[in-house]
Amino acid sequence: MEEKINAYLNELNNFSPSNLEDIEKFRIRFLGKKGIIQDLFAQLIKVDPDKRKRTGALINDLKNKTIQKIEDFKLLFEVKESKSDSEKDLTRSVDFFDFGSQHPLSIVKNRIINIFSYLGFSVAEGPEIEDDWHNFTSLNFPIDHPARDMQDTFFIEKNPDIALRTHTSSVQVRLMENEKPPIRAIMPGRVFRNEAISARAHCIFHQVEGLYVDKNVSFADLKQTLLYFVQEFFGKDTKTRFRPSFFPFTEPSAEMDISCFICGGKGCNICKNSGWVEILGCGMVDPNVLDNCKINSKEYSGFAFGMGIERITMLKYQIKDLRLFFENDLRFLSQFKSIIY
Ligand code: PHE
């Protein structure tokens, strides 16, 4: 069913009418009483009950995108066809217009949001210019602690208390300060680190961080949530592996690898023959962080994770140079046309 919906999404994306009549035909085919969308909704009863909600949402999404696209095209053609005869220049070459596409980082960000929304995670955002408290101190980075050096920070010269956020963990703090548990959110956003620009690093990049705080949240919940995510994103056969790590704001902390989805774990140049690729950092929220945000750590626990969107996108689409994301070369961007999220 999902494959079918994706095929229709693809068709929708490639639809390029030459006149209003084409649009009307397309509308009837997709949105008519006996159209594709109605038919998909009718078939929903046959879908596994536990997948039904998700499939329903996908059909709705297809429907909304279809309506939007038809509206857009109609507007365009109505303007064109309403020109009076005297205004028409019959010698003019045919109008050629091309639609833009979503940036690969947006495609991946939206897909991540989409997957976590099935688990009840909402989306939270925060400022890119942060104070020391939200970026470091509340997250258990004491002043002068060497962990601050892990993240090469851009400070504002006139006020060392203010910096460009080095991670989206600052949004976690803002959320916990302002909301009562249960808190379940992901936080996509731009982050900044003073790093030399190369094929593998940039001074501006994107992260998605996740946070779940409630009574009795355990490491098992963290593992299952991340397993669900990677299997949805990279494929059902993906396996995970956790290695102990260190972050000041989580205890215990781990880094998660996934089995290489290119070679299936046999070894290739993407996984440097190890069969595994590292994709994110995670852990149980340190009780000090909960207390700093006025959440009673005796009563509540939580997990958090954070991943780089560039890294995940590079893995998924086998992009070898991170700088491509920022150059906006159409030869690169137009390769992502058929993917919509
Ligand atoms: N904030 C960490 C980083 O930028 C990632 C992370 C988030 C790790 C949440 C653990 C938990 O590297």
Side-chain angles (χ1 to χ4, degrees):
M1 186 84 167
E2 266 191 49
E3 267 167 31
K4 233 181 178 177
I5 298 172
N6 276 333
Y8 287 132
L9 264 176
N10 238 333
E11 184 178 339
L12 174 68
N13 205 32
N14 292 326
F15 174 52
S16 82
S18 335
N19 49 37
L20 280 168
E21 206 179 309
D22 283 356
I23 301 173
E24 183 56 11
K25 273 193 206 144
F26 190 83
R27 188 191 68 76
I28 293 171
R29 198 163 98 72
F30 268 73
L31 298 172
K33 273 209 186 102
K34 292 190 180 135
I36 286 164
I37 307 267
Q38 277 305 332
D39 184 42
L40 287 172
F41 276 124
Q43 287 179 41
L44 205 53
I45 330 167
K46 291 189 224 146
V47 174
D48 238 28
D50 50 5
K51 285 203 183 134
R52 209 171 279 159
K53 195 165 159 214
R54 173 193 160 93
T55 312
L58 289 175
I59 304 174
N60 251 327
D61 187 44
L62 172 68
K63 181 177 160 189
N64 292 336
K65 284 183 173 138
T66 312
I67 295 174
Q68 186 61 46
K69 191 135 194 180
I70 287 175
E71 288 281 292
D72 291 347
F73 270 125
K74 262 193 173 162
L75 260 177
L76 203 85
F77 281 94
E78 270 160 11
V79 174
K80 263 196 208 165
E81 294 186 8
S82 69
K83 279 190 181 160
S84 69
D85 277 358
S86 59
E87 273 178 281
K88 279 185 187 152
D89 173 4
L90 298 177
T91 62
R92 236 182 96 186
S93 57
V94 123
D95 259 348
F96 176 78
F97 61 86
D98 204 4
F99 277 92
S101 52
Q102 278 195 326
H103 192 282
L105 295 177
S106 303
I107 295 173
V108 168
K109 179 185 84 175
N110 291 341
R111 177 70 183 130
I112 296 172
I113 292 176
N114 174 260
I115 294 172
F116 281 103
S117 71
Y118 292 128
L119 296 175
F121 282 76
S122 56
V123 176
E125 284 182 342
E128 293 178 346
I129 302 173
E130 263 301 2
D131 50 35
D132 181 274
W133 170 256
H134 289 97
N135 199 80
F136 289 123
T137 305
S138 62
L139 287 161
N140 217 19
F141 286 82
I143 302 274
D144 297 332
H145 192 280
R148 290 193 183 215
D149 296 341
M150 277 162 66
Q151 312 196 343
D152 303 302
T153 312
F154 284 119
F155 287 100
I156 307 289
E157 238 173 66
K158 288 201 180 126
N159 184 353
D161 187 48
I162 307 285
L164 296 180
R165 68 177 177 198
T166 58
H167 51 184
T168 41
S169 305
S170 52
V171 189
Q172 279 190 38
V173 177
R174 288 183 176 276
L175 251 187
M176 289 193 281
E177 283 174 340
N178 292 316
E179 275 177 35
K180 289 205 163 61
I183 299 172
R184 197 158 33 178
I186 56 169
M187 296 137 248
R190 243 182 348 172
V191 299
F192 308 84
R193 291 186 198 177
N194 190 4
E195 293 202 27
I197 296 172
S198 72
R200 300 177 59 89
H202 207 289
C203 53
I204 302 176
F205 57 101
H206 300 77
Q207 289 187 329
V208 176
E209 192 135 325
L211 173 72
Y212 178 30
V213 181
D214 203 349
K215 288 183 177 150
N216 301 321
V217 176
S218 70
F219 204 89
D221 297 324
L222 169 65
K223 285 177 81 172
Q224 187 56 34
T225 303
L226 293 176
L227 179 68
Y228 172 78
F229 164 67
V230 297
Q231 293 195 335
E232 286 294 308
F233 191 84
F234 289 104
K236 284 281 170 252
D237 298 328
T238 313
K239 295 183 183 55
T240 57
R241 163 174 101 169
F242 290 77
R243 284 176 290 106
S245 183
F246 171 77
F247 300 102
F249 37 89
T250 47
E251 183 59 35
S253 305
E255 264 162 76
M256 189 180 85
D257 300 336
I258 55 167
S259 56
C260 181
F261 55 96
I262 304 293
C263 63
K266 288 191 199 76
C268 68
N269 62 349
I270 300 287
C271 60
K272 300 195 192 79
N273 283 321
S274 70
W276 295 93
V277 280
E278 181 194 323
I279 67 156
L280 54 79
C282 59
M284 300 306 291
V285 181
D286 193 301
N288 287 346
V289 176
L290 293 174
D291 291 332
N292 283 341
C293 300
K294 312 258 175 320
I295 290 179
N296 185 352
S297 60
K298 304 239 160 23
E299 199 180 340
Y300 291 101
S301 57
F303 68 65
F305 57 87
M307 60 190 129
I309 303 186
E310 278 78 359
R311 175 157 177 79
I312 305 256
T313 312
M314 286 171 85
L315 285 171
K316 173 109 180 165
Y317 298 114
Q318 294 173 53
I319 298 164
K320 299 235 156 52
D321 193 324
L322 193 143
R323 287 167 292 198
L324 286 165
F325 291 128
F326 301 96
E327 284 165 0
N328 285 334
D329 185 330
L330 287 179
R331 287 170 303 180
F332 172 66
L333 295 179
S334 61
Q335 295 178 53
F336 297 90
K337 258 195 175 154
S338 59
I339 312 167
I340 354 177
Y341 257 105

